[in-house]
Amino acid sequence: MRRVGKLVVLGLTALGLALAGPADNSLVIGASQEPRVLAGDFLSIISNQSIKAEIENYLYVPFITLNLDGQNTAVLATEVPTIQNGRVRFTDIGQGRRRLEIDITIRPDARWSDGRPITTEDVQFYFEVGKAKGMPVLNPDYWERVNLRVRDARNFTVIFEPAFATDLIGSPIGYAPRHIMGPAWEQVKRQTAALDPQRDAARLAEIYRAFFTQFSTPAYLNRGEMVYSGPFVFRRWVPGSTVELARNPQFPITPPGGADRYVQRVVYRFIQNTNSLQVAIMGGSIDALSRVGLTFDQARAPQLVQRTRGSFDTWFVPGAIWEHIDVNQFANVPQVRDLGLNDKRTRQALLHAINREGFVRTFFQGLQPVSHTWIAPVNPLYNPNVRRYEYNLDRARALLAEMGWRPGPDGILQRTVDGRTVRFEIEWVTTAGNVVRERFQQFVAEDFRRIGIAVRINNAPSAVVFADDFIQRASEGRWTGMFMFAWVSSLVENGDLFSCRFRPTRENNYQGQNVGGWCNEEYDRLRDQAVVEFDPARRKALFDRMQEIWAEEVASLPLYFRADPLIVRRGLVNYVSAAYSGGYNYPNWEPWTIGWTQRGAEKRWDQARYALTVR
């Protein structure tokens, strides 16, 4: 049976490739990750994968998005709310804080793919689910501050109290299909009515996960029962191989010249080994690269550049994609206490033992900047003057010696903890198949061994490590040492990645994205001031100090900021990216305009304004 199944997958993939490109107005995209779930997980409770968000850009559109210049642009809203048009109102509420009200009107022609109008009922449903007691949301401070006032079927007001300086960037709220998911949610409410978020957090998480999962799996989506609001609808998911999307005739925005001139079918091919993905591009079976695609050095490889010259353009988009290593700092985890990972000296030693400059120089020709804080240089809040940790193995050894580590018989450090002899062996997790990350592990492991640290590699596919029952569970020891991955940041920078309040634990039902668990009271006090500060200079000063604390403590191990490669077949237009396009650097932030010039698509955006090219 397994062999037959594989033959079926290969047959479907071959069929997709045979029909790819301008010939049938299709688009085949190569990606190095596959989503765990799609569509129904609208709060990213099950998975927060970047590839999930990218594919869902075709299936759902926001009320307001960010264009290539980082400016608000209306999509399903009739217009962008501003103070000038009366749709934005501030009220002082004392202690330097404000209340913010944002009026939104839904386009009268906004419809789900089954023809049903998108209304404030769908906004109310999204709001109700997000506000549910004990919901393990990724951004709890948003849900604590937000409120909703519905005026009629198309008009509503989003209220923030207190208002954050970033609340007017992008869409202030989302929506979800009540008519599809609402009946199941009513059952959830009955199941959870008597449960207490403190006492019954695990049971609540189980019920909520089951709710989102039932509307998100390949099996469910392949039945065709979900609805979509974007320019494409879901057609088929072959796990381990492809996801196929088709044009949505209900989508209300018509691109220049008519929708039939633009891409009618999108196929994502999942090739998790980036070397194999590189070969597929050279072979011409892919039209464009996903944002989750090749590594920087692979896209610049002479063989690839030569083979694709004349048929593809290769761009490098400077972005706010932060490659780093989170360190488990939850002191209740035995391995954390044994290795002293919750002591800043250990983290400082680890960072001194990583030759970041050498790696960037060797693999990226110095074109991707080493990071010293979590905020990208393209962000106005970036502080270039924080403490820096040079590559210095002697300094790393000295810091570890301060903590009682001494070389054992095999050269690996050991020390006595609670009467036990502990060996310094640290777990290291990253996404399997990502060649650069796996090379980095090898590159660093050699230096770690030179200072007496053994590394235990524990890599797995992105769908596994970015699932909420893994990445969010460091406090329970699901991962016990280092976790290397990238955060995709936006202009909505509130410092919540490292707030004490947002450490996911059983007690808060795994809310928040401070997955390593670092906590600093001064940082949190400054953050509480910064988020409600609307004066740019004062806000910048607060974030400067937050970054100084962060760097001194080595809250996480900063590596570098990525300039992601974007490889696009000649003739494909409007598949473009900038640092903050769509909010998070995605190339399909305006997916209804992606098309082939050979089929009459009009070029609306010039990638040359926002990226460097390899010719």
Side-chain angles (χ1 to χ4, degrees):
M1 287 296 292
R2 287 184 179 179
R3 182 170 295 178
V4 171
K6 287 180 181 178
L7 288 173
V8 170
V9 169
L10 289 171
L12 289 171
T13 303
L15 175 63
L17 297 181
L19 299 176
D24 74 333
N25 220 357
S26 294
L27 171 62
V28 176
I29 301 169
S32 60
Q33 293 182 9
E34 180 174 7
R36 183 180 182 183
V37 292
L38 284 172
D41 182 28
F42 59 83
L43 294 180
S44 293
I45 299 300
I46 307 301
S47 172
N48 192 31
Q49 289 172 278
S50 181
I51 188 64
K52 170 180 178 284
E54 180 178 320
I55 295 174
E56 288 176 348
N57 277 351
Y58 291 98
L59 300 173
Y60 302 98
V61 291
F63 292 115
I64 299 164
T65 192
L66 296 182
N67 66 16
L68 292 176
D69 297 313
Q71 299 168 334
N72 281 345
T73 303
V75 184
L76 284 192
T78 56
E79 62 180 328
V80 173
T82 64
I83 292 175
Q84 290 72 25
N85 63 19
R87 289 180 174 269
V88 170
R89 296 176 298 281
F90 286 101
T91 305
D92 288 332
I93 57 175
Q95 298 181 328
R97 300 188 171 202
R98 302 179 183 182
R99 169 189 171 99
L100 169 63
E101 297 186 3
I102 306 171
D103 295 337
I104 298 239
T105 301
I106 303 172
R107 290 177 59 124
D109 52 0
R111 278 176 166 55
W112 294 107
S113 53
D114 61 0
R116 190 179 181 114
I118 297 171
T119 72
T120 50
E121 284 193 359
D122 302 306
V123 181
Q124 179 69 49
F125 176 60
Y126 177 93
F127 175 80
E128 179 182 321
V129 175
K131 281 282 198 178
K133 61 182 178 182
M135 182 63 69
V137 291
L138 299 175
N139 49 346
D141 66 334
Y142 169 87
W143 289 104
E144 290 168 4
R145 298 181 304 110
V146 72
N147 215 321
L148 178 69
R149 183 168 64 243
V150 171
R151 300 200 300 280
D152 56 43
R154 290 179 46 224
N155 292 280
F156 62 94
T157 301
V158 183
I159 304 158
F160 292 102
E161 187 172 333
F164 282 9
T166 53
D167 285 336
L168 288 172
I169 300 175
S171 195
I173 201 167
Y175 58 97
R178 180 184 285 275
H179 66 294
I180 298 296
M181 303 178 71
W185 180 247
E186 292 303 314
Q187 294 181 17
V188 168
K189 290 198 292 186
R190 289 191 289 272
Q191 286 179 283
T192 59
L195 297 181
D196 178 81
Q198 301 299 320
R199 184 185 66 245
D200 306 307
R203 178 57 180 153
L204 282 170
E206 178 186 356
I207 293 170
Y208 292 146
R209 282 173 51 82
F211 167 72
F212 289 108
T213 299
Q214 67 180 301
F215 296 103
S216 307
T217 64
Y220 172 80
L221 296 177
N222 281 336
R223 295 204 299 268
E225 297 174 5
M226 181 50 78
V227 292
Y228 310 94
S229 65
F232 290 82
V233 297
F234 180 94
R235 279 290 176 258
R236 177 174 54 181
W237 188 346
V238 182
S241 179
T242 56
V243 160
E244 182 178 339
L245 316 174
R247 199 84 183 186
N248 177 11
Q250 298 288 346
F251 186 64
I253 303 175
T254 302
D260 59 336
R261 296 188 180 186
Y262 297 80
V263 163
Q264 300 297 302
R265 176 172 163 268
V266 175
V267 177
Y268 268 83
R269 286 190 64 199
F270 305 121
I271 305 174
Q272 299 203 26
N273 184 287
T274 52
N275 281 329
S276 299
L277 178 56
Q278 186 183 42
V279 171
I281 294 171
M282 289 190 291
S285 61
I286 286 172
D287 298 315
L289 191 66
S290 162
R291 217 280 306 285
V292 188
L294 292 184
T295 59
F296 186 92
D297 63 318
Q298 288 174 317
R300 296 184 79 246
Q303 183 182 13
L304 178 64
V305 173
Q306 292 167 9
R307 288 283 298 274
T308 58
R309 182 174 285 121
S311 55
F312 284 85
D313 287 319
T314 299
W315 304 94
F316 291 94
V317 184
I321 303 168
W322 180 50
E323 198 75 25
H324 71 293
I325 300 172
D326 270 349
V327 178
N328 190 332
Q329 298 172 52
F330 287 98
N332 62 289
V333 176
Q335 294 92 330
V336 172
R337 295 196 308 273
D338 286 351
L339 300 184
L341 300 180
N342 55 334
D343 188 312
K344 73 176 182 180
R345 292 173 295 177
T346 305
R347 301 189 298 274
Q348 288 172 343
L350 292 173
L351 195 52
H352 274 304
I354 299 175
N355 189 358
R356 295 173 294 166
E357 290 81 2
F359 186 81
V360 166
R361 185 169 56 250
T362 300
F363 288 91
F364 309 135
Q365 293 74 51
L367 297 177
Q368 300 207 95
V370 168
S371 69
H372 305 285
T373 174
W374 81 96
I375 296 181
V378 294
N379 192 307
L381 296 174
Y382 171 67
N383 181 1
N385 301 313
V386 299
R387 177 175 174 177
R388 301 189 175 204
Y389 295 82
E390 76 283 1
Y391 173 59
N392 188 328
L393 297 183
D394 288 338
R395 181 59 183 148
R397 293 186 186 100
L399 285 164
L400 294 170
E402 284 182 21
M403 299 181 65
W405 293 103
R406 300 291 182 268
D410 60 354
I412 299 303
L413 296 175
Q414 58 184 39
R415 69 173 181 170
T416 301
V417 178
D418 298 330
R420 298 174 293 110
T421 298
V422 173
R423 185 172 184 266
F424 204 134
E425 181 180 56
I426 190 168
E427 177 194 35
W428 190 341
V429 175
T430 195
T431 46
N434 185 301
V435 173
V436 161
R437 287 176 180 163
E438 291 175 341
R439 285 179 187 170
F440 187 83
Q441 287 178 314
Q442 298 165 7
F443 184 86
V444 173
E446 294 180 11
D447 278 330
F448 275 13
R449 178 165 284 276
R450 289 172 63 190
I451 65 170
I453 296 176
V455 172
R456 177 169 56 86
I457 303 296
N458 187 22
N459 298 341
S462 66
V464 174
V465 297
F466 294 135
D468 75 307
D469 55 0
F470 186 89
I471 190 172
Q472 300 289 107
R473 307 299 173 95
S475 62
E476 298 174 2
R478 285 301 306 274
W479 55 278
T480 61
M482 305 192 305
F483 188 167
M484 179 181 179
F485 64 103
W487 280 123
V488 184
S489 59
S490 76
L491 288 171
V492 182
E493 177 54 67
N494 289 322
D496 51 354
L497 282 182
F498 298 101
S499 171
C500 303
R501 294 177 53 228
F502 304 134
R503 294 174 293 176
T505 64
R506 184 186 300 273
E507 290 69 31
N508 68 7
N509 213 4
Y510 311 104
Q511 292 184 346
Q513 293 180 285
N514 183 2
V515 296
W518 177 73
C519 181
N520 181 280
E521 292 182 1
E522 183 184 358
Y523 175 97
D524 272 19
R525 285 197 302 272
L526 293 166
R527 178 194 173 273
D528 288 345
Q529 298 173 50
V531 293
V532 297
E533 179 56 69
F534 283 76
D535 180 86
R538 289 198 290 266
R539 178 174 161 83
K540 174 72 166 59
L542 290 165
F543 267 94
D544 280 353
R545 177 58 186 150
M546 289 161 60
Q547 291 170 81
E548 290 170 1
I549 296 168
W550 187 96
E552 171 63 30
E553 290 275 322
V554 190
S556 169
L557 307 181
L559 300 179
Y560 53 87
F561 286 100
R562 291 187 348 212
D564 269 9
L566 188 66
I567 300 178
V568 181
R569 191 184 294 278
R570 296 275 176 89
L572 184 67
V573 294
N574 305 322
Y575 188 83
V576 293
S577 178
Y580 294 116
S581 57
Y584 293 95
N585 189 230
Y586 290 109
N588 60 343
W589 67 278
E590 198 179 61
W592 58 93
T593 66
I594 297 173
W596 299 98
T597 56
Q598 299 95 313
R599 301 297 297 248
E602 180 181 310
K603 182 177 179 179
R604 288 170 48 84
W605 304 97
D606 185 1
Q607 185 66 81
R609 290 186 56 197
Y610 305 95
L612 303 174
T613 185
V614 173
R615 298 292 184 184

